[in-house]
Amino acid sequence: MIQFSLPYPPSANNLFPGKARRFPSKAYKAWREAAGPMVPAGHIDGPYALRICLERPDRRARDLGNLEKAISDLLKERGLIADDRFMNRLEMWWSERTPAKGAVAHVWISPLARAA
């Protein structure tokens, strides 16, 4: 199992603004630049399980499911996983910690045995 923490990710709704072409938003680029060096070295070449515990940055209502995409794409970009299509299991939850600035995403990733 590989465990690490990343800055709070941007929502999938804010990764690619505009409708005609898909260019990363400025906020998404900045997050990838800050979070990229925090992804540990290693490589999982096949099925994996991903667990993410997110701390809340504030008391606003947020869609937990919209926060996985930026993390998965970063794991692929940094070479920790071969492709996010190999994610076989996903578990996400909100931390019980009081909302605060500087919230982070705690990430655990484990390789899974390939099906016979």
Side-chain angles (χ1 to χ4, degrees):
M1 178 185 303
I2 302 169
Q3 180 180 353
F4 55 99
S5 296
L6 299 171
Y8 189 85
S11 168
N13 295 332
N14 299 318
L15 301 181
F16 301 98
K19 296 181 184 195
R21 301 185 85 172
R22 287 184 49 117
F23 294 106
S25 68
K26 288 180 184 178
Y28 184 32
K29 285 180 186 178
W31 178 81
R32 287 190 324 206
E33 205 170 288
M38 298 175 170
V39 176
H43 184 72
I44 297 174
D45 187 31
Y48 64 92
L50 181 61
R51 300 177 71 218
I52 304 169
C53 176
L54 289 136
E55 297 175 357
R56 292 180 185 268
D58 52 41
R59 296 193 184 280
R60 288 181 19 206
R62 296 174 182 273
D63 186 343
L64 183 64
N66 281 344
L67 300 171
E68 173 271 330
K69 186 62 179 161
I71 294 171
S72 287
D73 286 351
L74 182 68
L75 299 181
K76 180 181 176 188
E77 179 183 306
R78 300 298 292 193
L80 186 56
I81 59 172
D83 197 292
D84 53 0
R85 68 187 167 102
F86 293 121
M87 180 171 46
N88 191 287
R89 193 173 304 142
L90 173 63
E91 182 181 6
M92 293 181 71
W93 68 96
W94 290 113
S95 167
E96 296 297 322
R97 193 167 172 223
T98 303
K101 290 188 181 207
V104 300
H106 303 285
V107 179
W108 296 264
I109 186 166
S110 304
L112 296 173
R114 292 184 186 263

